[in-house]
Amino acid sequence: QQQVKQSPQSLIVQKGGISIINCAYENTAFDYFPWYQQFPGKGPALLIAIRPDVSEKKEGRFTISFNKSAKQFSLHIMDSQPGDSATYFCAAVMEYGNKLVFGAGTILRVKS
Amino acid sequence: KAGVTQTPRYLIKTRGQQVTLSCSPISGHRSVSWYQQTPGQGLQFLFEYFSETQRNKGNFPGRFSGRQFSNSRSEMNVSTLELGDSALYLCASSYLAGDNTGELFFGEGSRLTVL
């Protein structure tokens, strides 16, 4: 129940295309869902986050879609750029605390 | 504003030894969390400290321990090192504590290799 399942494991997208990464969870106690981006040799950095009372959140080219009934959420990267090539992690957090449960990660490569 | 600083960045130890890793959070941040990152297990939560008290703990053996000082700096210790402890250890700080935001600011990590 503590797991967050993330897919795909890796993704290759052409420049200008849409990158889509999906995550699913079981524990309904999770109430905050951040996405992190990690470049080689760096720590993860917060990209965008959503709470379950919102179905969609958009920040620039990045959009989170959230389906509370299905317990699924996804990250869409519009107009993907080579600079977006990184590993993306979805995560879930329960109330009161900074204990993140991370998905396994998706390695995104954007081909120019 | 300086980010989260972790030292050392790289270290090599042998089985049975112990290691101490250090983390200086962003100024003003009072919560410090530690995560282990490995290719096989991904990112796993170790523990979180706030105001020198451990607030959350992950599912790691007692060989893994940590502490936080009054200036919010934190250290984690791994005793009796095993080969499987080889990993990138990430420290993250957060300003808001008691409020769940998931907005962690990560350092670049300490890469531990156990031989």
Side-chain angles (χ1 to χ4, degrees):
Chain A
Q1 274 208 324
Q2 291 294 321
Q3 284 187 322
V4 176
K5 295 182 180 179
Q6 183 173 348
S7 63
Q9 189 174 15
S10 63
L11 182 60
I12 300 175
V13 174
Q14 291 289 337
K15 179 181 175 182
I18 302 174
S19 304
I20 302 174
I21 304 171
N22 301 301
C23 287
Y25 65 98
E26 288 294 326
N27 193 337
T28 55
F30 290 138
D31 69 348
Y32 188 75
F33 301 88
W35 285 86
Y36 282 82
Q37 179 190 54
Q38 185 177 29
F39 292 104
K42 301 293 185 182
L46 179 67
L47 192 61
I48 187 173
I50 198 168
R51 294 196 183 275
D53 54 348
V54 177
S55 61
E56 185 175 283
K57 183 175 181 180
K58 184 176 181 180
E59 290 186 1
R61 296 184 294 109
F62 301 91
T63 300
I64 300 178
S65 298
F66 191 89
N67 186 329
K68 188 175 181 179
S69 60
K71 291 185 282 187
Q72 295 175 346
F73 58 111
S74 61
L75 175 69
H76 291 62
I77 305 175
M78 313 301 287
D79 187 26
S80 298
Q81 299 296 312
D84 296 332
S85 298
T87 301
Y88 292 81
F89 295 93
C90 61
V93 188
M94 278 189 284
E95 193 177 7
Y96 304 126
N98 286 322
K99 179 179 178 179
L100 270 65
V101 178
F102 282 93
T106 297
I107 301 172
L108 171 64
R109 179 185 165 203
V110 181
K111 296 174 67 174
S112 56
Chain B
K1 202 173 192 181
V4 177
T5 304
Q6 292 189 245
T7 57
R9 290 292 314 281
Y10 304 91
L11 65 166
I12 299 173
K13 294 285 186 179
T14 57
R15 281 180 298 174
Q17 288 187 309
Q18 74 167 11
V19 66
T20 299
L21 308 177
S22 181
C23 172
S24 293
I26 292 172
S27 178
H29 286 194
R30 299 171 65 192
S31 169
V32 173
S33 305
W34 289 88
Y35 289 80
Q36 182 196 63
Q37 186 173 25
T38 61
Q41 299 298 316
L43 281 155
Q44 293 189 289
F45 173 81
L46 280 157
F47 24 66
E48 179 198 5
Y49 288 87
F50 174 71
S51 292
E52 302 177 67
T53 300
Q54 187 179 87
R55 190 165 70 160
N56 273 305
K57 189 177 189 308
N59 297 323
F60 280 81
R63 300 186 296 107
F64 292 80
S65 63
R67 59 177 176 169
Q68 186 181 32
F69 302 96
S70 58
N71 61 358
S72 293
R73 192 177 68 85
S74 177
E75 288 181 347
M76 68 163 283
N77 184 76
V78 188
S79 63
T80 319
L81 284 166
E82 300 176 0
L83 294 177
D85 296 333
S86 294
L88 180 67
Y89 290 89
L90 292 160
C91 171
S93 73
S94 173
Y95 173 72
L96 296 172
D99 178 61
N100 165 28
T101 69
E103 290 188 58
L104 300 185
F105 295 83
F106 283 86
E108 294 189 335
S110 293
R111 169 89 48 198
L112 170 65
T113 301
V114 181
L115 302 177

